[in-house]
Amino acid sequence: MNNQKLISASKTMQLVLWVMLVALFLMVIIPWAFPTTGLGKFLLSIQNFNNFMDTYHKNIDDFMSNLRPISRLFGIIASIITVLPLVIGIKIMLNVADNYKNGQVFTLNNAKSYRLLGVIYLIEALLLKPLSDIFFTLCATFNNPVGQRTIAFGFTLGNMTAIFFAIILIMIGHVMVVGQKMNEEQQFTV
């Protein structure tokens, strides 16, 4: 009975993850292909681009319709960097869910997957988030005259929270690896 619940939950998780993957792809494409539409502006706001717009420009429609190709490229790069950890995390969790469906629950592979998730989100908090901020500020200010262009990044409570949960995932993965090794040793003990 519990095995059926795990299989069902894994299938549901895979469906949700695939929907998220498609949404992330669209989140990168739509705002830069259709920047002045309501959907484009909404998707940019999810990526926190509005924070940069509020600081450097008052009218997002005017700004987005006058973007030079290099500024648009900076924005696309920032969007890709923003969603990259989630895309990688989704790929990892799709594999884990597939393992769960096949009855492979407490395996070394799954333990390493959780640890890898933690490492990815630690890198995101320490490196990728500030890097996406840099590219978003370049996008928002590159059209400005020389001397009024900005490169900025920040470290917020959101980064600290991500670091905290990344450490938890790394520790869970580590404990699962140790548990798996102990389980293997017990199986060979007579």
Side-chain angles (χ1 to χ4, degrees):
M1 185 69 152
N2 283 337
N3 197 24
Q4 283 302 109
K5 287 181 181 179
L6 181 61
I7 290 170
S8 177
S10 296
K11 287 179 181 179
T12 302
M13 183 169 71
Q14 283 182 317
L15 177 64
V16 170
L17 291 171
W18 276 110
V19 169
M20 286 178 64
L21 196 58
V22 169
L24 290 173
F25 176 75
L26 294 174
M27 187 182 293
V28 170
I29 300 298
I30 290 173
W32 302 105
F34 309 102
T36 58
T37 64
L39 181 59
K41 289 187 267 190
F42 170 72
L43 292 174
L44 283 174
S45 72
I46 291 174
Q47 299 175 53
N48 288 327
F49 185 66
N50 289 359
N51 294 346
F52 302 102
M53 289 304 301
D54 292 343
T55 302
Y56 302 108
H57 301 283
K58 298 303 173 210
N59 188 328
I60 192 167
D61 289 333
D62 287 343
F63 170 77
M64 293 304 274
S65 32
N66 294 315
L67 265 184
R68 293 189 347 214
I70 187 74
S71 294
R72 193 175 303 268
L73 178 63
F74 289 145
I76 292 168
I77 291 169
S79 290
I80 290 169
I81 293 170
T82 299
V83 302
L84 186 61
L86 271 174
V87 170
I88 295 169
I90 287 170
K91 171 71 174 108
I92 291 168
M93 288 309 297
L94 283 168
N95 289 336
V96 169
D98 209 34
N99 290 343
Y100 288 170
K101 279 189 339 190
N102 296 324
Q104 302 167 354
V105 180
F106 297 107
T107 66
L108 191 58
N109 189 29
N110 289 346
K112 288 180 178 179
S113 293
Y114 283 111
R115 194 166 52 188
L116 181 58
L117 274 175
V119 170
I120 288 166
Y121 288 111
L122 187 61
I123 291 169
E124 187 238 354
L126 295 173
L127 177 67
L128 296 179
K129 173 66 172 99
L131 189 59
S132 71
D133 287 355
I134 288 169
F135 278 102
F136 274 141
T137 57
L138 281 171
C139 174
T141 64
F142 202 76
N143 285 355
N144 294 353
V146 175
Q148 296 180 10
R149 296 175 182 164
T150 304
I151 294 178
F153 63 92
F155 193 84
T156 66
L157 186 59
N159 295 76
M160 299 283 284
T161 303
I163 291 169
F164 174 76
F165 285 110
I167 291 169
I168 289 173
L169 279 172
I170 291 168
M171 286 305 300
I172 288 170
H174 184 70
V175 167
M176 287 177 70
V177 166
V178 171
Q180 175 62 26
K181 287 179 183 177
M182 288 172 59
N183 188 32
E184 285 176 3
E185 288 173 5
Q186 285 180 347
Q187 287 177 353
F188 294 117
T189 304
V190 178

